[in-house]
């Protein structure tokens, strides 16, 4: 991800990942493997390794402000319009103005 961004002239020391699950953030930040987490898939260990290296930082975001929900969940009309506006996406009626 860092390499791809640097190809576009965007240089970041660490990549922020917004997450609304505090348990996932705590598990990722804790390098100790607990009995409850022994069946975590390899992709989670990949992220944990990059967090320990400092390449990635998990940041908490409230569920109401999770912009990725527009791509993953059915939303009510108000939430859809709010997230669409936050992402900077235009409605077809905006283009005719």
């Amino acid at each position: 991800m860092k390499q791809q961004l640097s190809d576009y002239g965007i240089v970041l020391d660490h990549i922020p990942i917004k997450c609304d699950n505090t348990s996932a953030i705590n598990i990722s930040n804790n390098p100790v493997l607990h009995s409850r987490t022994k069946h975590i898939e390899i992709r989670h260990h990949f992220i944990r390794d990059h967090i320990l290296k400092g390449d990635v930082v998990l940041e908490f975001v409230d569920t109401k402000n999770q912009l990725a929900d527009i791509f993953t969940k059915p939303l009510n009309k108000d939430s859809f319009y709010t997230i669409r506006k936050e992402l900077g996406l235009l409605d077809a009626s905006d283009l005719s103005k």
Side-chain angles (χ1 to χ4, degrees):
M1 200 175 343
K2 272 177 116 171
Q3 179 61 43
Q4 205 166 25
L5 288 172
S6 67
D7 291 344
Y8 293 106
I10 301 170
V11 179
L12 297 173
D13 292 334
H14 60 275
I15 305 295
I17 297 178
K18 309 287 186 183
C19 183
D20 62 355
N21 186 334
T22 55
S23 295
I25 293 171
N26 292 334
I27 289 171
S28 297
N29 289 327
N30 187 357
V32 178
L33 188 64
H34 296 286
S35 62
R36 293 183 182 179
T37 61
K38 68 180 182 180
H39 296 293
I40 291 179
E41 296 180 23
I42 299 216
R43 63 184 168 166
H44 298 103
H45 293 290
F46 175 80
I47 291 173
R48 180 185 286 175
D49 289 343
H50 281 284
I51 289 171
L52 292 175
K53 289 179 189 175
D55 296 335
V56 173
V57 174
L58 289 180
E59 297 175 357
F60 178 75
V61 64
D62 189 31
T63 303
K64 295 175 186 173
N65 299 321
Q66 183 62 273
L67 299 180
D69 285 351
I70 198 168
F71 303 112
T72 60
K73 298 178 182 174
L75 300 171
N76 63 29
K77 193 176 187 179
D78 295 331
S79 296
F80 178 80
Y81 289 146
T82 302
I83 292 174
R84 185 180 67 184
K85 182 180 177 186
E86 290 291 322
L87 290 172
L89 300 175
L90 298 175
D91 185 58
S93 64
D94 295 336
L95 296 175
S96 62
K97 292 180 182 180

